[in-house]
Amino acid sequence: RCLAEDARGRYISPFHDIPIYADGTENVFNMVVEVPRWTNAKMEIATKDPLNPIKQDVKKGKLRYVANVFPHKGYIWNYGAIPQTWEDPGHKDENTGCCGDNDPIDVCEIGSKVCSRGEVIKVKVLGTLALIDEGETDWKIIAINTEDPEAGSYNDISDVRRLKPGYLEATVDWFRRYKVPDGKPENQFAFNGEFKGKDFALSVIKSTHEHWKALIAKKTDGGEINCTNLTVSDSPFCCSQECAKATVDAAPPCKAANAIPPEVDKWFYYQQN
């Protein structure tokens, strides 16, 4: 588990306590890095656990790794989420016709730096891709770290297509095929897999922020989602630092990390549909 702390060393939730905006006037967002580029472990904010630590997904009792589907090695961007957003599974998206996937909105950060797991970076939003993942709307925001040396050259999705030729096509290919080695069909997309630009992406993010606000205020039933937080003072789920520390202290101690299975480095090849 990767727990989040603020600058003073106090426990916080990376889902609920890190502000959505790094600079609201400039539409600069905070991004929580879950998966560094080129790695395979499927790490994510644990929305159902107290304080929502980042931890590895488990399926059928096994730690989950994303397969290498040729020519891709692991994740091809720094992958993570924008805090204080929620894709409501009870809300049918007017653009996709599908309900949300019950998670914070995902971000693919395309800068040159390979980030660290748990790092919080400031990103400039460039566009979005509408993945339909097993019947659920799963927006993928395309963004760049504001500290990237080339960040000033990127202002919309067209700049990615112009300055990083092939990257957007590779992104669609990655999301289309990454579950096939697990025996699942190729994923589908809204808008025929076409990317939407910056303004569209901003509207999607702001919509998911409104859904999160309803969730954290208990105006929407979040089901098993854990909304414990330390900074949203008007939330019925707000708790004290003492309560947060007790939650962390009560968790089982971490054991030595499991060795990465050798099959994680295997390449998968198949004829595309």
Side-chain angles (χ1 to χ4, degrees):
R1 298 181 301 277
C2 179
L3 288 156
E5 298 178 354
D6 66 11
R8 294 167 61 183
R10 298 176 300 181
Y11 294 116
I12 58 171
S13 161
F15 185 4
H16 306 302
D17 290 317
I18 297 172
I20 178 175
Y21 290 107
D23 184 341
T25 59
E26 296 293 330
N27 281 319
V28 175
F29 295 86
N30 284 314
M31 170 187 171
V32 179
V33 178
E34 298 166 312
V35 186
R37 190 166 72 240
W38 310 137
T39 63
N40 298 73
K42 182 75 172 77
M43 307 293 291
E44 57 190 12
I45 292 172
T47 58
K48 298 175 183 177
D49 290 8
L51 299 180
N52 315 116
I54 296 173
K55 69 177 189 181
Q56 192 166 358
D57 190 24
V58 176
K59 278 204 173 176
K60 298 181 180 178
K62 294 182 66 176
L63 292 170
R64 187 175 169 200
Y65 294 88
V66 164
N68 303 306
V69 181
F70 185 82
H72 309 303
K73 171 65 180 80
Y75 287 71
I76 62 173
W77 348 255
N78 294 301
Y79 191 71
I82 295 178
Q84 298 187 340
T85 62
W86 180 52
E87 297 190 75
D88 184 353
H91 172 77
K92 182 177 286 189
D93 190 285
E94 62 181 10
N95 296 291
T96 66
C98 298
C99 293
D101 73 344
N102 206 29
D103 283 325
I105 199 165
D106 297 319
V107 186
C108 304
E109 191 281 314
I110 65 169
S112 58
K113 175 188 174 184
V114 177
C115 295
S116 302
R117 182 171 300 119
E119 186 176 356
V120 179
I121 61 174
K122 300 173 183 179
V123 297
K124 180 196 293 188
V125 169
L126 305 172
T128 189
L129 176 69
L131 174 67
I132 307 300
D133 190 349
E134 299 183 29
E136 297 176 332
T137 301
D138 190 4
W139 292 103
K140 306 299 180 184
I141 300 297
I142 308 301
I144 189 166
N145 190 335
T146 58
E147 295 184 0
D148 189 273
E150 299 180 347
S153 299
Y154 291 84
N155 295 294
D156 210 324
I157 201 70
S158 58
D159 296 319
V160 183
R161 187 170 287 108
R162 176 172 57 87
L163 297 170
K164 292 182 183 286
Y167 205 0
L168 295 181
E169 292 80 1
T171 295
V172 172
D173 183 63
W174 195 98
F175 281 117
R176 187 187 304 281
R177 302 196 289 149
Y178 81 103
K179 288 187 176 181
V180 171
D182 297 328
K184 295 183 178 181
E186 292 184 351
N187 277 323
Q188 304 300 311
F189 304 89
F191 313 116
N192 295 316
E194 295 178 4
F195 288 82
K196 293 294 185 179
K198 176 180 180 178
D199 290 342
F200 189 100
L202 290 174
S203 69
V204 169
I205 295 169
K206 290 172 182 177
S207 173
T208 60
H209 181 51
E210 292 302 313
H211 292 151
W212 170 83
K213 287 197 287 188
L215 171 72
I216 204 71
K218 210 174 182 178
K219 294 179 180 177
T220 298
D221 181 10
E224 296 181 25
I225 288 187
N226 194 297
C227 293
T228 300
N229 68 86
L230 291 96
T231 61
V232 189
S233 57
D234 58 349
S235 166
F237 304 103
C238 193
C239 76
S240 66
Q241 184 59 214
E242 290 73 22
C243 173
K245 187 176 185 306
T247 297
V248 174
D249 291 344
C254 288
K255 300 178 181 178
N258 290 350
I260 297 177
E263 59 265 26
V264 171
D265 290 326
K266 180 180 178 181
W267 289 92
F268 287 85
Y269 303 82
Y270 79 99
Q271 187 68 41
Q272 295 185 52
N273 293 337

